[in-house]
Amino acid sequence: MVLDIGLCGTEGSYLRDVRGGPRWRHHGDGQPQSARLQRNEFVREQSRPISGDTGLFEMRSLVQTGNLPPKAARAGTETRLDTSRKYLDHLLGYVDRAKLRKLKVVVNAGNGGAGLIVDQLEPHLPFEFIKVNHQPDGTFPNGVPNPMLLENQASTADVIRRTGADVGLAWDGDYDRCFFFDEHGQFIEGYYLVGLLAEAFLKGEPGGRIVHDPRLTWNTIDIVRRCGGEPVLCKSGTLSSSRRCVRSTASMAVR
């Protein structure tokens, strides 16, 4: 059986897997590697990623050699499944909305998928969203949605300065990476945000594990330990951090 959950972000499909999802998941993540190529990911049950360490190269070998299992005796079925409400509830479960104050927030989806979930969150939050490159468009008319590139940061920073916004957020195509800008339009390095997020998660889960990659570690390790948590080192990348998070029963994983 194929369950088609439609256009959503990477986390939305992972959530479906964790909560009683299928034994196998494949998705094209909307993150362009070039003007014509899209990246694809494979994940097993319980959101266990398939990487070069866990069978991806063996899959490649089977395809290249044609040594594939025989076709199923009976054709499969395809069913449309709307998981957006569950994902929205999951996101809202992280915050106490009564404590949120009104803010003016610039959101730049980069013509990827983030605009869809921003629209669903909007009625539930006290924020005024100023939307940039908001509509999904797989041709990416405003360039590759990678806010880490200096040339891509101005489209968010300029709007913050022009509108007097309190903060800005920009995402990559499949919105599993989010980047912040302050009220002056200054890009905030993700390294410092990891520490803030870890502190917030550990308040709700004292003694929890925080999975992090080896690129920049001192601030993360210091804050996690100071807040009573346990830092867990893993290789860089979504697949590695996701796999380690599941195996370590961690409170949070970052890459």
Side-chain angles (χ1 to χ4, degrees):
M1 175 188 293
V2 174
L3 300 176
D4 181 3
I5 61 174
L7 182 60
C8 70
T10 297
E11 278 75 16
S13 54
Y14 272 85
L15 181 73
R16 171 61 195 167
D17 280 352
V18 170
R19 300 189 175 181
R23 296 183 58 192
W24 179 274
R25 176 174 62 80
H26 163 258
H27 77 275
D29 69 4
Q31 184 66 15
Q33 303 302 294
S34 71
R36 293 182 299 159
L37 298 178
Q38 298 288 324
R39 189 172 61 196
N40 292 273
E41 295 181 3
F42 296 90
V43 177
R44 293 189 60 183
E45 70 278 6
Q46 297 300 311
S47 292
R48 290 187 290 170
I50 300 175
S51 65
D53 299 329
T54 55
L56 189 62
F57 294 152
E58 287 80 357
M59 291 170 59
R60 179 181 65 184
S61 178
L62 290 174
V63 173
Q64 289 177 334
T65 61
N67 186 24
L68 300 172
K71 291 184 178 180
R74 185 175 60 183
T77 60
E78 181 177 348
T79 304
R80 181 76 175 176
L81 180 67
D82 184 1
T83 61
S84 59
R85 182 69 244 183
K86 288 184 178 179
Y87 182 54
L88 183 64
D89 291 342
H90 175 76
L91 293 180
L92 293 173
Y94 284 108
V95 297
D96 184 348
R97 283 177 277 171
K99 294 182 179 180
L100 299 178
R101 60 187 179 92
K102 185 174 182 180
L103 295 173
K104 183 183 290 187
V105 183
V106 172
V107 289
N108 187 345
N111 298 117
L116 299 173
I117 195 63
V118 168
D119 289 342
Q120 293 178 54
L121 287 168
E122 190 170 20
H124 304 279
L125 300 173
F127 305 148
E128 175 190 349
F129 287 120
I130 301 170
K131 301 170 183 178
V132 180
N133 302 330
H134 196 67
Q135 296 302 319
D137 186 338
T139 67
F140 299 105
N142 296 290
V144 173
N146 183 358
M148 291 188 70
L149 300 177
L150 289 176
E151 61 268 26
N152 288 354
Q153 294 173 10
S155 60
T156 304
D158 290 347
V159 178
I160 293 172
R161 300 186 188 106
R162 188 173 69 248
T163 61
D166 298 292
V167 66
L169 290 82
W171 291 268
D172 65 350
D174 60 330
Y175 60 101
D176 64 347
R177 293 185 297 153
C178 180
F179 303 86
F180 284 73
F181 297 75
D182 67 16
E183 71 275 20
H184 305 296
Q186 181 69 38
F187 182 80
I188 303 173
E189 290 293 339
Y191 174 49
Y192 300 106
L193 291 168
V194 168
L196 290 173
L197 290 171
E199 184 175 357
F201 270 84
L202 290 172
K203 285 181 179 178
E205 299 183 37
R209 298 184 179 96
I210 303 297
V211 175
H212 64 92
D213 71 16
R215 287 176 290 186
L216 293 169
T217 63
W218 290 349
N219 182 64
T220 301
I221 292 173
D222 179 65
I223 290 178
V224 170
R225 287 177 175 166
R226 177 159 47 84
C227 294
E230 178 187 346
V232 178
L233 183 68
C234 79
K235 294 196 303 183
S236 297
T238 301
L239 298 180
S240 297
S241 61
S242 299
R243 185 169 61 247
R244 190 61 182 270
C245 186
V246 172
R247 190 167 66 238
S248 304
T249 62
S251 303
M252 183 183 87
V254 293
R255 62 183 178 90

